[in-house]
Amino acid sequence: MATGSSAPSAPAPPGSGEKSHLFNFTGISANKAGMGADRKLVADFVYEKSKNSQYTQHQLELDAKQQARAELVAKELRIAEARMSEIELLSERRKIEAELEALEKHRDLSRTHCVVDMDMFYAAVEIRDQPSLASKPVAIGGLGMISTANYVARLYGVRAAMPGFIAVEMVRNPAAIGSKMPPDELVFITPNFAKYTQVAMETREIFRQYDPHFRAMSLDEAYLDLTDYLAAHGVSAEAAVQEMRDRVKARTGITCSAGIGPNRMVAKIASDERKPDGQSQVLPTREAVLEFMDRLPVRKLPGCGKVLENQISIMLGVQTCAELRAAAARVKRAFQGRKTCSFLMRACLGLSSDELAEEGGEVGNVARKSLSCERTFRAESEPAELRGRLRDLCRQVSEDMAASVPPLAGRVVALKTKASSFEVRNKQISLIQPVGFSPNFGKGGEDGREHAEQETARVTQELYKLLEPVLEEQFPCHLRLMGVRVSSFRDQRATLDKGQQLISFFQSKGSEQQEGPSAGAGPDNLNTGMPKPQIQEANVIDLDSSQEDQRDKSRDPPVQSQSLPKGCLKRVVERLASRRAKRIRLSGVCCPVCGVRVPEDQANRHVNAHYGDQ
Amino acid sequence: MATGSSAPSAPAPPGSGEKSHLFNFTGISANKAGMGADRKLVADFVYEKSKNSQYTQHQLELDAKQQARAELVAKELRIAEARMSEIELLSERRKIEAELEALEKHRDLSRTHCVVDMDMFYAAVEIRDQPSLASKPVAIGGLGMISTANYVARLYGVRAAMPGFIAVEMVRNPAAIGSKMPPDELVFITPNFAKYTQVAMETREIFRQYDPHFRAMSLDEAYLDLTDYLAAHGVSAEAAVQEMRDRVKARTGITCSAGIGPNRMVAKIASDERKPDGQSQVLPTREAVLEFMDRLPVRKLPGCGKVLENQISIMLGVQTCAELRAAAARVKRAFQGRKTCSFLMRACLGLSSDELAEEGGEVGNVARKSLSCERTFRAESEPAELRGRLRDLCRQVSEDMAASVPPLAGRVVALKTKASSFEVRNKQISLIQPVGFSPNFGKGGEDGREHAEQETARVTQELYKLLEPVLEEQFPCHLRLMGVRVSSFRDQRATLDKGQQLISFFQSKGSEQQEGPSAGAGPDNLNTGMPKPQIQEANVIDLDSSQEDQRDKSRDPPVQSQSLPKGCLKRVVERLASRRAKRIRLSGVCCPVCGVRVPEDQANRHVNAHYGDQ
DNA sequence: GAGCAAAGT
DNA sequence: TACTACTTTGCTC
DNA sequence: CTCCACAAC
DNA sequence: TACTGTTGTGGAG
Ligand SMILES: Nc1ncnc2c1ncn2[C@H]1C[C@H](O)[C@@H](COP(=O)(O)OP(=O)(O)OP(=O)(O)O)O1
Ligand SMILES: Nc1ncnc2c1ncn2[C@H]1C[C@H](O)[C@@H](COP(=O)(O)OP(=O)(O)OP(=O)(O)O)O1
Ligand SMILES: [Mg+2]
Ligand SMILES: [Mg+2]
Ligand SMILES: [Mg+2]
Ligand SMILES: [Mg+2]
């Protein structure tokens, strides 16, 4: 099925009438698309709607680069394979089989994992609060960007991460994208993050009863190890999960879907199988797992995004996990030396890690590693204007650092810029002395408020003084985005809102890393494009693994939400947060973003404040 | 038509089955109600829905007090009249007629005033941006409170200042309030103040071309003196206003209505006559004006709210302006010594002031006299919690003061509280040295950001230190609202978002004030309830008037918006604002709330920030 | 001047 | 669960 | 360590 | 007019 024929090494000519086949893979790919609208037609539609935009121009360049690399590797692979003798091929095959068997030995089918994921989460909350919307196409977001859409809108091809103005046209003209829906008007709802957080906290109360150590991956998604619960209660996983989902629905009025499997990755993928309000189980046998995996498009593997999917397709001619497994030898050759290699090998066998490496944070919470704030705006050249925005970002970051528990101080500060051409740059500064707050900051109880604000102003200023010269270097420039980021925290303990990065979450440690450079090592950073780690159970193979400490595998209480815009609103709340944080005795709920306890009636406002204005 | 029979001096028994007739006048009264729903049924419905709430309990107490006072005065009036001899009556009548004639002499019909008021403003903007809402009942606000509603919703009885949860039920059950609309679901939209401000600024660009000195009374309302324009262009008022309205519609996509009359009050009332997308003119003849006024319910007079309306009804048995004029003698007796007296006398003759007393602010802008921030929350007793909220309010006020141009400093600081019983208290502190910012604050240009933030923190702290003890005095308490206000500004020049208070706007100076106590002076503060000033043209009678300087009557450029919630969001924006304010050279638009220039793409966010989160 | 209530958006 | 936010004015004590 | 790109929600 | 915001990871230089 490999395509890779005419490879335009230069950026595809924009506006050259026919759309670039490259842009194609930027659009909606095999994965979640489905339902009502034709993937290709949607991609075409989106492309047509923004053919001549800066955004598209930039995307085309990225795509072309990826495509060229993929095709080059594909070519090299073909050449290398052509060169290989039968003996070499046989030996390789045997080696691969041995490796797969080795992996197989560590397959753990003894535990029962479950992934719960709310259905069309933001949209569901809004529709719950305004049921008359249920029958209409609804998008959460605005004309600029959509965060999610209800299933009606999805029938028109509307998706998360789709610009709203395009979605509008799709709903008005369903025929153009192969949808049989009648023309309609897309209803937009500005996100109300506070509400979603509130709902999320309610769901987590329930999850906790099935696994006190569950991990929340985002506001709408949780990972549970049900093994102990099932043993203790003597119920089937199916029944327990059904009950849990019923309780979520009863408590929040919102449906969720769940996947049950012998490890988190399988459970995660399974959670998507019966998506709206359903659950599905992959039985804990090797056969069931492999059968389940085999029919999956590789894109379904968490960590396999559109770029890797395209690489696999172009380089290996592979679409499904079954094909991937069959092509294990080529995978090795194509991705050798990269984590992607063992990731793919393990993933297509349905293997993943089950441990909860609670690196850092509180009692098992995941430690935050960076904190940032960025904003898109109408492209701007005026230095004074840009400086003003930079200062706003610094203040925001400062306030967020102050509101963290414990307050943060970091040794790396970075400025992110995006030009009106969509070109992104990051410039970072490493410091000897961290910038930020002392660990005792915020302990001032009733008083010390003034001190807190002065400190925040101080950190704002320090960040600004550090980054303003960095910005200065960019002039003249025409920017549409700036962002400020702090990392390398002095104190590891600050908990993050979400639990780990899901990929390494599935893979824990172990990597593929250089087994010696191989075929795929194309020019420059060819083959670069994908970072996916590997799967890795509690008992993992770990070929290389020059990793850190392993610590106790105790699972831990969740509490958190998800990476969300911390926008303007955040401020008000943030302050409330930092203040509230000082007297935990107060009633209220824990904000999953900043971990701070806020009074219930403030919860909405509070969490909203973590998000952007827009 | 006088009612006043059974006068329950004690608060009406709550939940005593039948609703109190007192609560009746708390509800929607004669004025704008109309359309689709039966006033009384709506009032009943609302009452039934919240019969036993703290809110209603509190309202009933207020109503009972007013009702008792009104009935007492009515009784005294009746007694006094019964005592009067025929001669006394005749002499009084002659005196009154002389007074009316005196007022009449100063009637000015030479100028052409116009009031433009956007139709269902907030709702119109939202519907413009989502036209599919046009046919549905839409409310701006939430379950707690509605700011406005579209005309569809109004057919169900939904109104501004109505709690959302009641509106929901009205739309679901239209029959209950005498509406013939089919049951439906009310669509709620969270206000997006930034957008409304943007639209308002666009309308004002147009208004300015018809009267460079026009006054903006709110985001959606402007007062123009068209005299010069009409003379210069030789067009009729009707044509000019029609053209202006067309331009507003073309520019903003939103309709407005307008009233044309010989003075502002008449124009204002007229603007409501053909409300959706219409205009009406009251010709500049005494006869036309009187005919227009005569048929008006007194409630239509701006400044005559539900309490005064009720007083007039109970005390005078008067409903319309015609009756009011005929009852001039009783008006005098009932309201003598109060500004209400001359207000009513002048108003029912269709007289009002035309001058623009630009007291204070910039070149003709209206000077702000106070600045405040208040928040409602779930009733709370915990001192620590309340202190935290107090500090937030102080910070908000501090930031607003900093963002004002020029930055503010005030000599009076006040704490407002509302108990869970809805009882409101205000406690103020007068200072020798004003608290706030030096007039040069914010001149720091590119640098001085840090200083600005430290100063803001300083003022926050000063406000808090002043008010925290005041709060302390209230403990123990159970509060549902707190507010912080600063007034008595050192510097008069800070411009306000709206132009004058519309009542005194109609009356300029002149007052009725004590001509010696008369009949109505009941017990305590009987007769208290109404503040309305009088009407008063450029050539006004002004019986007493121990007023201040008169200054030049030059009209002045408007620029501003309206009193809006400055809520949490405000913060982010506010800061942007204050910063931006320092370099006015930048492109962008002027924020009507804080007067600051912000880049266009930030306008929405900016203005939104002035408003509450909710 | 302090405090409350009414009024407007 | 759920009755606003902001500003000005009038009046009383 | 710096920077970019990719991935996820 | 209008293509996000936050965090983490992998890989290359
Ligand atoms: N690209 C994005 N940008 C911003 N927010 C996002 C994005 N994708 C998802 N979100 C937010 C909105 C979603 O409701 C929420 C959960 O994401 P996700 O579970 O992937 O989809 P979903 O819950 O909306 O629908 P589904 O029914 O497919 O799960 O996270
Ligand atoms: N009680 C209130 N509380 C908060 N905001 C209000 C209130 N009343 C009005 N507003 C806001 C929302 C309105 O759209 C805007 C203008 O008010 P107004 O002109 O009186 O009504 P409207 O423009 O919504 O309808 P219309 O003028 O067509 O009767 O001010
Ligand atoms: Mg989901
Ligand atoms: Mg999810
Ligand atoms: Mg209006
Ligand atoms: Mg108005």
Side-chain angles (χ1 to χ4, degrees):
Chain A
M1 290 288 277
T3 42
S5 47
S6 64
S9 60
S16 62
E18 59 202 29
K19 81 174 172 45
S20 156
H21 67 288
L22 295 172
F23 190 81
N24 218 0
F25 87 82
T26 277
I28 288 139
S29 66
N31 188 16
K32 304 190 175 180
M35 295 200 315
D38 180 281
R39 300 145 183 65
K40 182 143 308 212
L41 285 178
V42 169
D44 289 6
F45 189 91
V46 170
Y47 177 80
E48 282 303 319
K49 286 304 169 188
S50 52
K51 207 162 22 184
N52 299 317
S53 66
Q54 294 276 19
Y55 172 84
T56 298
Q57 174 62 32
H58 183 255
Q59 279 310 307
L60 286 177
E61 287 174 18
L62 290 184
D63 289 5
K65 215 175 288 179
Q66 282 295 344
Q67 188 73 6
R69 288 170 182 173
E71 287 175 356
L72 196 150
V73 173
K75 196 168 162 190
E76 292 180 347
L77 276 181
R78 262 180 274 123
I79 293 172
E81 281 173 21
R83 277 209 224 99
M84 285 178 80
S85 69
E86 299 243 337
I87 295 180
E88 283 172 321
L89 284 172
L90 193 63
S91 128
E92 184 192 46
R93 173 166 304 270
R94 251 185 276 127
K95 215 174 104 192
I96 291 293
E97 275 168 13
E99 252 180 68
L100 291 181
E101 272 182 48
L103 288 172
E104 195 63 59
K105 280 196 187 119
H106 296 82
R107 186 188 293 274
D108 182 0
L109 299 168
S110 68
R111 302 204 69 87
T112 306
H113 287 265
C114 174
V115 171
V116 189
D117 187 292
M118 307 301 291
D119 300 326
M120 53 176 199
F121 186 48
Y122 295 178
V125 175
E126 299 298 341
I127 289 171
R128 176 196 68 175
D129 294 344
Q130 246 169 250
S132 55
L133 295 174
S135 59
K136 296 168 197 149
V138 173
I140 307 302
L143 286 178
M145 186 47 65
I146 289 173
S147 281
T148 195
N150 69 349
Y151 283 79
V152 177
R154 294 186 197 189
L155 292 177
Y156 290 90
V158 179
R159 293 289 182 284
M162 176 178 285
F165 65 93
I166 289 179
V168 165
E169 301 196 41
M170 297 201 314
V171 174
R172 287 196 183 133
N173 188 7
I177 51 116
S179 168
K180 288 176 196 124
M181 299 293 290
D184 203 341
E185 283 298 312
L186 183 59
V187 175
F188 282 98
I189 297 188
T190 297
N192 195 344
F193 300 101
K195 285 204 299 190
Y196 316 146
T197 302
Q198 178 75 23
V199 174
M201 293 188 291
E202 290 168 14
T203 66
R204 290 173 191 184
E205 276 183 33
I206 296 169
F207 299 154
R208 191 170 296 112
Q209 299 172 36
Y210 293 84
D211 176 7
H213 306 303
F214 83 94
R215 277 283 168 88
M217 283 300 303
S218 68
L219 279 187
D220 94 320
E221 205 168 324
Y223 289 72
L224 292 75
D225 182 340
L226 296 178
T227 317
D228 297 346
Y229 180 92
L230 300 180
H233 293 74
V235 293
S236 71
E238 184 182 339
V241 171
Q242 180 67 55
E243 180 199 62
M244 179 167 65
R245 291 177 46 239
D246 288 344
R247 289 177 62 187
V248 168
K249 166 75 169 144
R251 172 73 191 273
T252 68
I254 291 176
T255 65
C256 59
S257 301
I260 306 165
N263 62 50
R264 292 189 294 220
M265 185 189 71
V266 169
K268 164 66 172 163
I269 299 173
S271 75
D272 206 45
E273 287 283 298
R274 313 235 167 113
K275 196 38 170 138
D277 199 13
Q279 65 186 64
S280 89
Q281 176 168 18
V282 177
L283 292 175
T285 69
R286 179 176 183 273
E287 295 67 37
V289 170
L290 288 184
E291 187 193 331
F292 175 72
M293 297 304 299
D294 276 358
R295 60 183 169 81
L296 294 176
V298 294
R299 185 64 168 80
K300 286 281 190 183
L301 300 175
C304 179
K306 59 183 164 57
V307 171
L308 179 55
E309 174 193 33
N310 186 250
Q311 288 179 344
I312 291 173
S313 172
I314 301 297
M315 290 164 25
L316 311 178
V318 157
Q319 313 300 331
T320 69
C321 286
E323 294 165 15
L324 192 64
R325 190 142 47 92
R330 310 190 76 195
V331 170
K332 281 223 79 164
R333 261 177 278 132
F335 296 105
Q336 107 206 126
R338 280 164 199 74
K339 294 205 170 187
T340 312
C341 184
S342 71
F343 160 66
L344 290 176
M345 302 276 281
R346 298 174 51 77
C348 71
L349 287 169
L351 300 172
S352 97
S353 161
D354 289 353
E355 358 153 353
L356 290 180
E358 19 53 81
E359 47 276 304
E362 275 302 301
V363 192
N365 277 333
V366 175
R368 167 193 293 279
K369 294 181 176 169
S370 72
L371 187 157
S372 67
C373 179
E374 69 189 49
R375 290 281 166 258
T376 293
F377 42 85
R378 276 256 296 279
E380 172 70 65
S381 295
E382 189 63 49
E385 179 61 27
L386 293 170
R387 279 189 283 260
R389 290 186 181 279
L390 174 59
R391 194 175 179 86
D392 287 339
L393 295 167
C394 291
R395 180 177 17 255
Q396 184 61 53
V397 168
S398 172
E399 290 175 6
D400 291 353
M401 291 171 71
S404 286
V405 276
L408 295 174
R411 288 181 36 258
V412 173
V413 177
L415 175 69
K416 173 177 177 177
T417 57
K418 180 151 60 179
S420 58
S421 64
F422 284 84
E423 183 205 4
V424 175
R425 271 201 254 186
N426 280 278
K427 193 80 186 161
Q428 79 184 36
I429 299 178
S430 293
L431 311 164
I432 310 298
Q433 287 298 338
V435 57
F437 300 85
S438 115
N440 345 328
F441 171 85
K443 299 285 173 56
E446 292 305 329
D447 62 334
R449 291 297 145 62
E450 185 171 23
H451 174 246
E453 284 166 13
Q454 287 176 351
E455 278 292 282
T456 303
R458 192 207 85 222
V459 173
T460 300
Q461 178 69 3
E462 289 179 4
L463 292 173
Y464 182 74
K465 280 299 180 205
L466 285 166
L467 294 178
E468 193 270 340
V470 180
L471 173 61
E472 220 67 33
E473 287 172 18
Q474 317 264 320
F475 298 141
C477 59
H478 195 221
L479 302 183
R480 71 176 344 257
L481 173 146
M482 285 197 301
V484 169
R485 171 176 303 246
V486 176
S487 53
S488 289
F489 296 126
R490 161 181 40 66
D491 195 334
Q492 309 277 73
R493 303 130 46 60
T495 67
L496 179 58
D497 53 334
K498 67 159 170 273
Q500 228 169 336
Q501 196 57 16
L502 118 147
I503 295 312
S504 43
F505 184 52
F506 294 135
Q507 314 303 326
S508 278
K509 0 207 116 55
S511 105
E512 178 75 1
Q513 293 303 55
Q514 59 249 54
E515 313 178 349
S518 65
D524 191 28
N525 42 3
L526 204 166
N527 264 345
T528 299
M530 43 69 283
K532 263 74 275 293
Q534 334 78 112
I535 301 181
Q536 173 173 293
E537 307 273 329
N539 32 17
V540 83
I541 282 193
D542 229 335
L543 302 179
D544 63 316
S545 81
S546 56
Q547 307 296 51
E548 326 101 298
D549 54 326
Q550 184 129 340
R551 252 164 297 176
D552 61 319
K553 323 220 162 187
S554 73
R555 311 243 169 54
D556 20 48
V559 183
Q560 290 133 355
S561 75
Q562 141 142 341
S563 11
L564 324 144
K566 349 185 84 117
C568 315
L569 245 187
K570 169 170 214 169
R571 320 205 164 183
V572 178
V573 175
E574 209 61 85
R575 293 168 187 170
L576 288 176
S578 59
R579 172 185 318 117
R580 302 275 184 282
K582 295 165 191 168
R583 8 191 188 108
I584 313 185
R585 63 190 178 285
L586 297 177
S587 66
V589 293
C590 271
C591 169
V593 180
C594 64
V596 151
R597 178 165 294 266
V598 292
E600 277 177 48
D601 69 309
Q602 288 277 311
N604 252 4
R605 173 174 313 178
H606 173 99
V607 183
N608 241 339
H610 287 286
Y611 301 79
D613 202 357
Q614 171 67 300
Chain B
M1 289 290 276
T3 42
S5 47
S6 64
S9 61
S16 61
E18 59 203 30
K19 82 174 173 43
S20 157
H21 67 288
L22 294 171
F23 191 80
N24 220 1
F25 87 84
T26 277
I28 287 139
S29 67
N31 189 14
K32 305 190 174 180
M35 293 201 316
D38 179 282
R39 300 142 184 67
K40 183 144 306 212
L41 285 177
V42 169
D44 288 5
F45 189 91
V46 170
Y47 177 80
E48 283 302 319
K49 286 304 170 188
S50 52
K51 208 163 19 185
N52 300 317
S53 66
Q54 294 275 20
Y55 173 82
T56 297
Q57 175 61 32
H58 183 256
Q59 280 309 308
L60 286 177
E61 287 175 18
L62 290 184
D63 288 6
K65 215 175 288 179
Q66 283 293 345
Q67 187 74 5
R69 288 169 180 174
E71 288 175 357
L72 196 150
V73 172
K75 196 170 165 189
E76 291 181 346
L77 276 182
R78 260 179 276 122
I79 292 173
E81 281 174 22
R83 278 209 222 99
M84 286 177 79
S85 68
E86 299 243 337
I87 295 181
E88 282 173 321
L89 285 172
L90 193 63
S91 127
E92 185 192 46
R93 174 167 302 272
R94 250 183 275 126
K95 214 174 108 192
I96 293 292
E97 275 168 15
E99 252 180 66
L100 291 180
E101 269 181 51
L103 288 171
E104 194 63 58
K105 279 195 189 121
H106 297 82
R107 186 187 293 276
D108 182 1
L109 298 168
S110 67
R111 302 202 71 86
T112 305
H113 288 265
C114 173
V115 171
V116 190
D117 186 293
M118 307 302 290
D119 301 326
M120 51 175 200
F121 186 48
Y122 295 178
V125 175
E126 299 299 340
I127 289 171
R128 175 196 69 176
D129 294 344
Q130 245 170 257
S132 56
L133 296 174
S135 58
K136 296 169 196 149
V138 174
I140 307 303
L143 286 179
M145 185 48 64
I146 290 174
S147 281
T148 195
N150 70 350
Y151 283 78
V152 177
R154 295 187 196 188
L155 291 177
Y156 291 89
V158 179
R159 293 289 182 285
M162 177 178 285
F165 65 92
I166 289 179
V168 165
E169 301 195 40
M170 297 200 314
V171 175
R172 286 195 184 135
N173 188 6
I177 49 116
S179 168
K180 288 177 197 122
M181 299 293 289
D184 203 341
E185 283 297 312
L186 183 60
V187 176
F188 282 98
I189 297 189
T190 297
N192 198 343
F193 300 100
K195 284 204 299 190
Y196 316 146
T197 302
Q198 179 74 24
V199 174
M201 294 188 291
E202 290 168 14
T203 66
R204 291 173 190 184
E205 277 184 31
I206 295 168
F207 300 153
R208 189 171 296 113
Q209 298 173 39
Y210 292 83
D211 175 7
H213 306 303
F214 82 94
R215 276 282 168 88
M217 283 298 303
S218 69
L219 280 187
D220 93 321
E221 205 168 325
Y223 290 71
L224 293 75
D225 182 341
L226 296 178
T227 316
D228 296 347
Y229 180 91
L230 299 180
H233 293 73
V235 293
S236 71
E238 184 182 338
V241 171
Q242 179 67 54
E243 180 198 62
M244 180 167 64
R245 291 178 46 239
D246 288 345
R247 288 177 62 187
V248 168
K249 166 76 169 142
R251 172 74 191 273
T252 68
I254 291 175
T255 64
C256 59
S257 301
I260 305 164
N263 61 51
R264 291 188 294 219
M265 185 188 72
V266 168
K268 163 66 173 165
I269 299 172
S271 74
D272 206 45
E273 286 282 298
R274 313 238 166 110
K275 197 35 171 143
D277 200 14
Q279 65 186 64
S280 89
Q281 176 168 19
V282 176
L283 293 175
T285 69
R286 179 175 182 273
E287 294 67 38
V289 170
L290 289 184
E291 186 193 330
F292 176 71
M293 297 304 299
D294 278 358
R295 59 183 170 81
L296 295 176
V298 294
R299 184 64 166 81
K300 286 280 191 184
L301 299 175
C304 180
K306 59 183 163 60
V307 169
L308 180 54
E309 175 193 32
N310 187 249
Q311 289 179 346
I312 290 173
S313 172
I314 301 297
M315 291 165 27
L316 312 179
V318 157
Q319 314 300 330
T320 70
C321 286
E323 294 165 14
L324 191 64
R325 188 144 45 90
R330 311 190 74 196
V331 170
K332 279 223 83 168
R333 260 178 277 131
F335 296 104
Q336 108 206 125
R338 278 166 202 74
K339 295 207 169 183
T340 313
C341 184
S342 72
F343 161 65
L344 290 176
M345 304 275 283
R346 296 174 51 78
C348 71
L349 287 170
L351 299 172
S352 96
S353 161
D354 289 352
E355 358 153 352
L356 289 179
E358 19 54 80
E359 48 276 305
E362 275 302 303
V363 193
N365 277 333
V366 176
R368 167 193 292 279
K369 294 181 177 167
S370 72
L371 188 157
S372 68
C373 179
E374 68 190 52
R375 288 284 166 259
T376 293
F377 43 83
R378 274 255 297 281
E380 172 70 65
S381 295
E382 190 62 50
E385 179 60 29
L386 293 170
R387 279 189 281 263
R389 290 186 182 279
L390 174 59
R391 192 173 180 88
D392 287 338
L393 295 168
C394 290
R395 177 174 24 249
Q396 184 60 54
V397 167
S398 172
E399 290 177 5
D400 290 353
M401 291 172 70
S404 286
V405 276
L408 294 175
R411 289 182 31 259
V412 173
V413 177
L415 175 70
K416 173 177 176 178
T417 57
K418 179 150 61 179
S420 58
S421 64
F422 283 84
E423 182 205 6
V424 175
R425 272 199 252 186
N426 279 278
K427 194 78 185 160
Q428 81 183 33
I429 298 177
S430 293
L431 311 163
I432 309 298
Q433 287 298 339
V435 56
F437 300 85
S438 116
N440 343 328
F441 171 86
K443 299 283 175 57
E446 292 305 329
D447 60 335
R449 291 296 144 63
E450 184 172 24
H451 174 246
E453 284 165 12
Q454 286 175 352
E455 278 293 282
T456 304
R458 192 207 85 222
V459 173
T460 299
Q461 177 69 4
E462 290 179 4
L463 291 174
Y464 182 74
K465 280 300 180 204
L466 286 166
L467 294 179
E468 194 269 339
V470 180
L471 172 61
E472 220 68 33
E473 288 171 18
Q474 317 264 322
F475 298 142
C477 59
H478 195 222
L479 302 183
R480 76 179 334 261
L481 173 147
M482 285 198 300
V484 169
R485 172 175 302 252
V486 175
S487 53
S488 290
F489 297 126
R490 162 181 39 67
D491 196 333
Q492 309 278 72
R493 301 132 48 62
T495 68
L496 178 59
D497 52 335
K498 69 158 168 274
Q500 228 168 336
Q501 195 57 17
L502 116 146
I503 296 310
S504 41
F505 184 51
F506 294 136
Q507 314 302 327
S508 278
K509 3 202 113 57
S511 108
E512 180 75 0
Q513 292 304 54
Q514 58 246 57
E515 311 176 350
S518 65
D524 191 29
N525 42 3
L526 204 167
N527 263 347
T528 300
M530 41 71 285
K532 264 76 272 297
Q534 335 78 107
I535 301 181
Q536 172 174 298
E537 307 271 330
N539 32 15
V540 84
I541 281 195
D542 228 333
L543 301 179
D544 64 315
S545 81
S546 57
Q547 307 295 50
E548 324 101 296
D549 54 326
Q550 185 131 340
R551 253 165 294 176
D552 61 317
K553 322 219 161 189
S554 73
R555 309 243 170 54
D556 20 46
V559 181
Q560 289 134 357
S561 73
Q562 139 145 342
S563 10
L564 323 140
K566 355 183 78 117
C568 314
L569 243 188
K570 170 171 215 169
R571 320 203 162 184
V572 178
V573 175
E574 208 62 84
R575 293 168 185 170
L576 288 176
S578 58
R579 172 185 317 113
R580 304 274 185 281
K582 295 166 191 167
R583 7 191 188 108
I584 313 185
R585 64 189 179 285
L586 297 176
S587 67
V589 294
C590 270
C591 169
V593 180
C594 63
V596 150
R597 178 165 295 266
V598 292
E600 278 177 49
D601 68 309
Q602 288 276 311
N604 252 4
R605 176 173 312 178
H606 173 98
V607 184
N608 243 339
H610 287 287
Y611 301 79
D613 201 356
Q614 170 67 303

